[in-house]
Structures are given as C-alpha cells and as structure tokens.
Amino acid sequence: MSAPPRKSSVGMETRHKSETAKTGRIHPAASPEHVPDPGSDANERLLCRMEVMMQSMRSDIVTEFEQIVSGVVKREIAAALRPLETSLSAQSETINSLEDTATDHGGQLTSLQATVALLTEQVGSLSKKCEDLEGRSRQNNVRIVGVPEGVEGARPTDFVATLLRDLLGLNDKPVLDRAHRTLRPKPKDGEPPRPFIAHVNLFQQRNEILRRAGASAPLLYQGKRVSVFPDFTAAVSKKRSAFATVKKSLHSCPGVKFGLFYPAVLRVTLPGGQTHRFEDPELAADFVTKHVKTMVSPDSI
C-alpha cells in the first residue's frame, strides 16, 4: 500500500499566517505541562481542612490532659497539705495561747516587780532598824580581848569586874550586870582565846572604862596583852574598820583632831576650827590627802 499523501509545509505556514492576520495575535501552541488539573485544588482544600481539624484535636487533647493532670496534682497537693494545715492550725492555737499566757505573765511580773521593790525597801528599812536596836542594846557593853581561857573559873562576872578594877586602876569594882565569853566553840591549844563581853550597869561607868583603857594602853595580864573595846555589831565593826587607814594618816598630822563616832562617822577638826564629817572612808582619805596634809609643813611634822 502506498503511504498517504503528506501535507505540504508551505501550505501549513500559509494557513497559520492567514489566521494570525485575522486575529492580530499569535496564540502559542498548547503544551501538556501547563494544562490545569482540576483535582489538585480539591486536594489542597482537603489538606487544609485536615490540618485545621488536627490542630483543633490537638488543642482539645492538650486542654483535657491539662485538666486531668491539674485535677490529680491539686488532689495530691491538697492531700499533702492537709496535715500541714492541721498542724499549722494547732500551732496557731498554741501560739495564741502562749501570747495570752505571756501577756498575763507580763502583767503578773509587773505587779511582782512593784511588790518586790516595795518589800526590798521595807526589808532595808527593817534591817537598819534592827541593826540600830542591836547597837543600842550593846551600848553598855565592853569587849575584853586577850584574857587566857579558863582563868575566870565558875564566876566570870565577878572575875571580869576584878580584872577591870586592877587593870585600869579603878577605886571600886565596876557594877556589871553580866559577863561571859563570846558564844563560839572553845578554842584548841595554840588558838587565841575567846573575848569577854561585859554589860556595865551604868553608861557613864562604861565610858570611863573605855577612856581609862585608851589612856593606860598597853594593858597586861599574866604577861599577855589585853585590850578593851566597845562592843559593836559585826556590820558596825566592819564600817568602822574601813577608816583605819585614814585614822593612821591623821595621827601624823599635828594640830588636827579627829574622832570616830557611832556608828561609823569620822569627824575631823582642822587647826582653824573647821569641822568635817565623813561616812565614806574613800572620801575621807581623799580629803586628808588633798587638804589636811598640804596644810601641815614637813618641819612641823
């Protein structure tokens, strides 16, 4: 069989030119790559819808999961905090009770402090009164130190009266209401003897005994030195002994008179007649150092 006749290329070109001349535009030849596919747009819309649905589902799942976890956590936290809340509540009640108790105790302490202050003042006043009464009860007493143990025999009052008459050169034996040794255990061998306490019937006679004892010192009995002193309480004796250093300094100041008065008051009289009284030994020592000794020249000493 013979092949079909082929159209001439010249004829095709002539036809194309004539169509171009009629329309005035050149239409490109259709290509299989630029042909639109109606199914692609549908796929894109489907994918978008699926993506939106997945996002919505994800959000719902996350929200539900958070709610579940939140509820579980809250329950667990509440269960864990419940004992703490109970403990805190109990502690709060305890603290409130302690605060109330502290307030009550504070009021009681304030009242007790005022009471203690009042009682302290009263005790101090009563102590001074008792000390004064004890001192007054000893005003007629004399203390005799250095008499050997056992020489008094069975009649100590008569022995002490005779001893004072002989030691001081009195005309008669002084009238003594009583005489005894101090109430402490009898000393052992080698220990100093206990002092005698003698209560003189007359206050003037007691003062005469003390005056003669000071003027006749030193006093001796059986070769032992004996001293006669006023009988003071322990507190008064301590106060008076604190002036010993000041009195020793005043002894070296000629023209200066001084005396230690009951209970413990030092009176200093200067050569010009000025009188000064001291109850504090430190103030007295300072006065003697700054004023009394500067008034006395080394030549006069």
Side-chain angles (χ1 to χ4, degrees):
M1 290 180 65
S2 60
R6 300 177 59 185
K7 292 182 180 180
S8 163
S9 60
V10 176
M12 294 177 64
E13 292 178 358
T14 303
R15 190 183 306 149
H16 180 68
K17 291 180 179 179
S18 61
E19 291 177 357
T20 302
K22 290 180 180 180
T23 59
R25 292 184 302 176
I26 299 176
H27 296 276
S31 174
E33 296 177 357
H34 296 284
V35 178
D37 188 359
S40 62
D41 293 339
N43 291 337
E44 290 179 0
R45 290 192 297 272
L46 181 60
L47 288 174
C48 290
R49 291 179 60 189
M50 291 178 64
E51 185 175 358
V52 171
M53 291 176 62
M54 290 178 65
Q55 291 180 354
S56 177
M57 292 175 63
R58 185 185 299 110
S59 178
D60 294 341
I61 292 172
V62 170
T63 302
E64 186 175 358
F65 181 76
E66 289 179 350
Q67 292 177 353
I68 294 173
V69 172
S70 177
V72 172
V73 171
K74 286 182 179 179
R75 286 194 296 272
E76 292 181 355
I77 292 175
L81 292 178
R82 194 172 295 112
L84 293 177
E85 291 177 352
T86 304
S87 177
L88 287 175
S89 178
Q91 292 180 1
S92 177
E93 293 178 357
T94 303
I95 291 173
N96 292 334
S97 176
L98 290 175
E99 289 178 350
D100 295 339
T101 304
T103 302
D104 184 42
H105 287 174
Q108 293 180 1
L109 286 175
T110 302
S111 176
L112 287 175
Q113 287 175 348
T115 303
V116 168
L118 178 61
L119 292 176
T120 302
E121 182 180 358
Q122 292 178 351
V123 168
S125 176
L126 291 174
S127 298
K128 291 180 179 179
K129 289 181 179 180
C130 289
E131 183 178 335
D132 181 68
L133 289 173
E134 184 180 0
R136 292 180 185 277
S137 69
R138 297 188 180 195
Q139 282 184 348
N140 283 27
N141 289 1
V142 292
R143 181 181 289 257
I144 306 169
V145 180
V147 180
E149 286 280 341
V151 296
E152 66 274 16
R155 303 179 63 183
T157 302
D158 186 64
F159 168 80
V160 171
T162 304
L163 175 67
L164 291 174
R165 182 195 63 185
D166 296 342
L167 288 176
L168 303 178
L170 301 176
N171 296 327
D172 298 313
K173 292 193 297 185
V175 180
L176 304 181
D177 293 336
R178 59 187 177 276
H180 59 82
R181 291 192 183 267
T182 55
L183 303 178
R184 69 180 187 185
K186 186 176 181 179
K188 299 178 181 178
D189 293 339
E191 293 181 350
R194 295 171 294 174
F196 270 106
I197 304 297
H199 184 80
V200 185
N201 184 265
L202 298 177
F203 182 73
Q204 292 80 0
Q205 197 171 34
R206 173 257 192 190
N207 290 342
E208 178 65 15
I209 291 173
L210 294 175
R211 187 188 66 78
R212 290 208 179 191
S216 304
L219 304 175
L220 298 176
Y221 177 76
Q222 294 183 358
K224 304 291 185 180
R225 183 168 181 174
V226 177
S227 301
V228 181
F229 303 105
D231 182 35
F232 297 121
T233 63
V236 172
S237 298
K238 184 177 180 181
K239 291 179 181 179
R240 294 175 70 90
S241 63
F243 287 93
T245 304
V246 182
K247 291 167 63 178
K248 185 176 180 180
S249 299
L250 289 172
H251 277 295
S252 62
C253 300
V256 178
K257 299 179 180 180
F258 65 92
L260 190 60
F261 294 87
Y262 184 85
V265 179
L266 179 66
R267 187 175 68 182
V268 179
T269 303
L270 301 179
Q274 302 91 344
T275 302
H276 301 271
R277 297 168 61 90
F278 302 94
E279 296 183 6
D280 188 343
E282 294 183 359
L283 294 178
D286 185 68
F287 175 80
V288 171
T289 302
K290 292 182 178 180
H291 299 88
V292 177
K293 288 192 173 182
T294 57
M295 297 175 59
V296 181
S297 62
D299 295 338
S300 61
I301 299 176

